[in-house]
Amino acid sequence: MSAFQGTRMNPSKFHRSQLKFLAFLIPLAIFMALPIVYIFFHAFKPIDELFAYPPRFFVDNPTLQNFVDLFTKTNDTGVPMSRFLFNSVVVTLIVVVLTVIISTMAGYALSKKNFKMKKAIFEINTLALMFVPAAVMIPRYLLIDELGLINTFLVHILPLLAMPIGLFLVKQFIDQIPDELLEAARLDGASDFQIFVRIIIPLVKPAIATIAILSFQLVWNSVESSSLYVNDEGLKTFSFYMSTLTSTVEGNNVAGQGLAAAASLIMFVPNLIIFIILQSQVMNTMAHSGIK
């Protein structure tokens, strides 16, 4: 299975020849990290520093008051912030798990099984990559309305389970697994489910990590379902709540800026953590998904 060792092309130890690359990459990395640093400092600024002119990059008098106000605030309907955050966590966990399961199973079938319309199904999935969300907004709303999902918790979950890019990456990754390996497992009496769990899943962990990151970011940051399909405030998500902070704090946009800064950090940190943990797997997936 040497085809799955793509990340080992990186040098295992430091060499002087790398200095010319580091001289370029280190300043670039520092420059790209500045927005991340700013988000952290911005969330701890008191209200006077948030509106200081000229704007300050670093915080002089850090405070947790923005977070205290955020967690104690309720919106106009009396729904606490913790309810929105709980909805986001539950929806994100369910969608990530189901997306990984669906994409890996479908990718295995399209890669290693022979059935009618197999090629046509994959072409349709590839074609779906071309459509931006705005292009399918109206058809999606009509379908959701026809299914009776308007103003239900499922409307956050079901529309996001179809992930064409996830299926594409997994299918391309599974194509690298030799058919002889699966045939040997069948000769030993392994069923399709056993082959999928014991052979396919361990070998496509990098692709699974990529799908997890992509689906997490898609769901965690999504405001579409709460904006278009849900009227009940108790069913809306934290990302939607954050988008309304600056305009719902007793009509005071100034007071809402501190809450928005704290909420932005809460929204950003999970994305940062999951990417740091899984980023090496993502690079491995990108290296193999297009190799034949």
Side-chain angles (χ1 to χ4, degrees):
M1 301 304 294
S2 59
F4 289 87
Q5 306 300 325
T7 55
R8 292 190 179 180
M9 69 179 66
N10 296 323
S12 58
K13 59 182 180 180
F14 175 77
H15 189 269
R16 287 182 301 175
S17 62
Q18 300 172 21
L19 288 174
K20 57 181 178 292
F21 299 107
L22 294 177
F24 172 76
L25 292 176
I26 291 177
L28 181 62
I30 294 174
F31 178 76
M32 296 181 67
L34 291 179
I36 298 176
V37 177
Y38 179 79
I39 290 175
F40 279 89
F41 282 119
H42 195 64
F44 295 97
K45 289 180 180 178
I47 196 69
D48 59 325
E49 291 188 35
L50 286 172
F51 290 92
Y53 185 83
R56 300 171 184 172
F57 188 87
F58 298 103
V59 56
D60 293 332
N61 301 298
T63 177
L64 294 175
Q65 190 59 44
N66 292 333
F67 293 92
V68 173
D69 294 342
L70 178 65
F71 279 91
T72 56
K73 178 185 177 296
T74 59
N75 66 0
D76 295 336
T77 60
V79 179
M81 187 281 294
S82 56
R83 177 64 188 183
F84 296 103
L85 187 59
F86 173 79
N87 290 343
S88 283
V89 172
V90 172
V91 169
T92 301
L93 289 176
I94 294 175
V95 171
V96 169
V97 172
L98 292 181
T99 300
V100 167
I101 294 174
I102 293 172
S103 296
T104 50
M105 286 186 170
Y108 172 55
L110 289 174
S111 178
K112 298 302 181 182
K113 294 295 181 180
N114 295 315
F115 54 90
K116 292 182 179 180
M117 301 292 291
K118 169 184 172 179
K119 188 172 293 186
I121 292 174
F122 184 68
E123 291 299 329
I124 292 173
N125 180 82
T126 305
L127 184 64
L129 296 173
M130 301 171 58
F131 291 94
V132 296
V136 297
M137 186 177 297
I138 294 177
R140 179 179 291 179
Y141 182 89
L142 295 175
L143 179 60
I144 290 174
D145 184 47
E146 189 69 23
L147 293 175
L149 297 177
I150 298 293
N151 217 34
T152 65
F153 199 75
L154 287 176
V155 79
H156 293 297
I157 300 172
L158 293 182
L160 298 178
L161 294 183
M163 191 175 181
I165 184 62
L167 175 57
F168 178 83
L169 289 175
V170 173
K171 193 266 183 187
Q172 297 297 92
F173 204 94
I174 296 178
D175 283 346
Q176 314 306 313
I177 301 177
D179 293 334
E180 292 79 6
L181 180 62
L182 306 186
E183 289 298 329
R186 291 190 182 96
L187 292 175
D188 288 338
S191 63
D192 278 334
F193 182 76
Q194 290 173 324
I195 292 175
F196 176 74
V197 173
R198 298 183 179 181
I199 298 178
I200 300 297
I201 293 296
L203 291 177
V204 299
K205 284 182 179 179
I208 291 175
T210 304
I211 298 172
I213 291 177
L214 295 176
S215 60
F216 178 88
Q217 292 179 335
L218 175 66
V219 182
W220 184 252
N221 300 316
S222 174
V223 299
E224 179 182 335
S225 56
S226 295
S227 302
L228 302 179
Y229 313 129
V230 177
N231 297 319
D232 186 348
E233 292 291 324
L235 295 177
K236 295 186 177 182
T237 58
F238 185 70
S239 56
F240 173 82
Y241 173 72
M242 190 190 76
S243 68
T244 64
L245 281 176
T246 56
S247 59
T248 59
V249 183
E250 300 176 356
N252 190 340
N253 289 340
V254 174
Q257 293 299 326
L259 304 182
S264 297
L265 181 60
I266 294 176
M267 287 292 297
F268 172 73
V269 167
N271 288 284
L272 179 64
I273 293 175
I274 193 172
F275 183 77
I276 290 175
I277 294 174
L278 301 177
Q279 60 89 20
S280 62
Q281 302 288 352
V282 174
M283 297 305 297
N284 205 5
T285 302
M286 298 307 174
H288 291 98
S289 60
I291 297 176
K292 294 295 184 182

